[in-house]
Amino acid sequence: LPQYTRGTVAAFAPFDARADAEALRKAMKGMGTDEETVLTILTTRNNAQRQEIASAFKTLFGRDLVDDLKSELTGKFETLMVSLMRPAYIFDAHALKHAIKGAGTNEKVLTEILASRTPAEVQNIKQVYQQEYEADLEDKITGETSGHFQRLLVVLLQANRDPDVGVDEALVEQDAQVLFRAGELKWGTDEEKFITILGTRSISHLRRVFDKYMTISGFQIEETIDRETSGDLEKLLLAVVKCIRSVPAYFAETLYYSMKGAGTDDDTLIRVMVSRSEIDLLDIRREFRKNFAKSLYQMIQKDTSGDYRKALLLLCGGDDD
């Protein structure tokens, strides 16, 4: 997988896994928990280091660090700390597993992960899912979804998007015309054309297609999708388009709407903050500031409280005035 450098969390130095394990044990031992120590250590070490701490914890004390966190912490703060401890390679597979188990499927999670991950990341998720859960991710997803929403998910799961190697202007024109005829010029959209083109063409090609579409139709492609489709398919098509335009902008918007209005969608807030903290959270912060007239830091500060807020603000890694 690619080496990302736009995260807010990097390897901590000088790092001493045993010392961290001892500090965490002391923080959770006896009456009352020293949450400050727990959150400070776990948000300032990267995921690989957290795994080393867990291993040292077991070696020194014969105890499972995650089990101890679960028994000593509660609520959203517990969820955040436990999410930070999840090994990075399994994070997405685990989120998908929980999105498609039991009663009702969490379409939001399927949409967010499959629209935003690179083809290499999707291939990795499928392999890990098979290894960890002895099940085929595609089978699981097709068993719980239907219609055009299901078809686009399956296309994205193939992870066969064309590589970015130069753009053919004639094909750009052709795709833009096909989408225009399928969307704006038809009663009832030809969803299949949208699914095939948005799910398989290269990123740089599609960015040109969106520009051309605007020229031909006078509409942004998002406006057409908004008008012509609905429900889960609409949300997935929009997520794919937004991620093609800019993954950090997509996540900035996802974070914004997780906190905007009454009540917070803490599951989304936690999932995005943790999963992007070592990848592109700096870019997400920049897009957030640009698009929402306040910083991510300020919005987290306003919308959360207590140790949960302290930990999220440390993960956020700073304000953008």
Side-chain angles (χ1 to χ4, degrees), residues 36-320:
E36 190 91 21
T37 295
V38 174
L39 72 88
T40 304
I41 291 174
L42 296 188
T43 59
T44 55
R45 310 304 188 256
N46 70 9
N47 192 282
Q49 291 174 327
R50 291 179 209 126
Q51 305 315 318
E52 286 186 56
I53 295 168
S55 161
F57 196 87
K58 197 161 268 183
T59 299
L60 293 170
F61 310 113
R63 305 175 67 91
D64 186 285
L65 177 54
V66 172
D67 288 347
D68 278 10
L69 290 167
K70 284 178 175 170
S71 70
E72 294 299 322
L73 312 175
T74 55
K76 298 172 285 203
F77 180 55
E78 176 196 334
T79 306
L80 176 56
M81 293 299 110
V82 170
S83 298
L84 286 169
M85 288 307 304
R86 193 156 290 124
Y89 79 93
I90 200 182
F91 195 93
D92 287 342
H94 179 273
L96 290 169
K97 164 97 171 140
H98 285 265
I100 46 188
K101 77 166 208 223
T105 306
N106 188 338
E107 291 83 6
K108 180 184 276 188
V109 175
L110 301 187
T111 293
E112 179 196 300
I113 292 176
L114 293 175
S116 65
R117 301 316 192 243
T118 65
E121 286 167 339
V122 173
Q123 292 293 9
N124 187 55
I125 291 166
K126 289 194 294 188
Q127 277 169 331
V128 169
Y129 199 95
Q130 184 69 55
Q131 283 155 9
E132 295 291 320
Y133 306 119
E134 296 178 347
D136 182 78
L137 178 57
E138 190 181 316
D139 289 348
K140 288 288 177 198
I141 286 177
T142 51
E144 296 295 330
T145 56
S146 62
H148 293 297
F149 175 63
Q150 178 200 78
R151 283 178 208 145
L152 180 50
L153 288 172
V154 170
V155 169
L156 295 170
L157 275 169
Q158 302 320 298
N160 280 332
R161 190 177 288 292
D162 296 337
D164 271 313
V165 285
V167 172
D168 174 351
E169 284 303 328
L171 186 59
V172 167
E173 175 77 39
Q174 188 187 317
D175 278 353
Q177 291 287 356
V178 166
L179 290 174
F180 179 54
R181 287 197 296 274
E184 289 295 331
L185 294 185
K186 255 194 176 162
W187 290 102
T189 311
D190 185 350
E191 287 96 344
E192 212 142 272
K193 299 280 198 301
F194 275 81
I195 288 168
T196 303
I197 291 173
L198 292 178
T200 62
R201 300 287 199 255
S202 79
I203 301 291
S204 46
H205 171 84
L206 284 167
R207 286 175 182 164
R208 293 285 304 116
V209 170
F210 298 162
D211 292 345
K212 183 67 78 177
Y213 185 90
M214 179 75 192
T215 309
I216 296 169
S217 69
F219 296 108
Q220 295 287 11
I221 193 152
E222 289 93 333
E223 297 175 76
T224 298
I225 291 169
D226 196 34
R227 260 204 317 280
E228 299 291 334
T229 62
S230 61
D232 294 325
L233 175 66
E234 177 190 347
K235 292 190 185 103
L236 181 56
L237 284 167
L238 286 174
V240 170
V241 168
K242 285 168 182 175
C243 287
I244 285 158
R245 289 195 191 273
S246 163
V247 168
Y250 168 72
F251 280 118
E253 188 182 16
T254 302
L255 286 169
Y256 178 74
Y257 285 106
S258 76
M259 292 181 278
K260 185 185 184 295
T264 302
D265 174 0
D266 292 292
D267 288 339
T268 297
L269 178 55
I270 291 168
R271 191 173 54 250
V272 176
M273 291 296 287
V274 172
S275 68
R276 308 314 286 187
S277 61
E278 292 179 44
I279 296 179
D280 56 0
L281 194 49
L282 289 170
D283 296 325
I284 292 168
R285 272 170 47 184
R286 197 180 59 224
E287 291 293 332
F288 196 104
R289 185 69 192 83
K290 195 171 86 193
N291 298 330
F292 300 112
K294 57 165 80 82
S295 69
L296 177 58
Y297 193 92
Q298 286 154 7
M299 194 148 183
I300 290 170
Q301 207 161 26
K302 187 177 115 312
D303 217 76
T304 58
S305 62
D307 295 314
Y308 178 53
R309 169 165 64 188
K310 279 181 197 161
L312 284 171
L313 291 175
L314 280 171
L315 276 183
C316 183
D319 202 345
D320 307 273

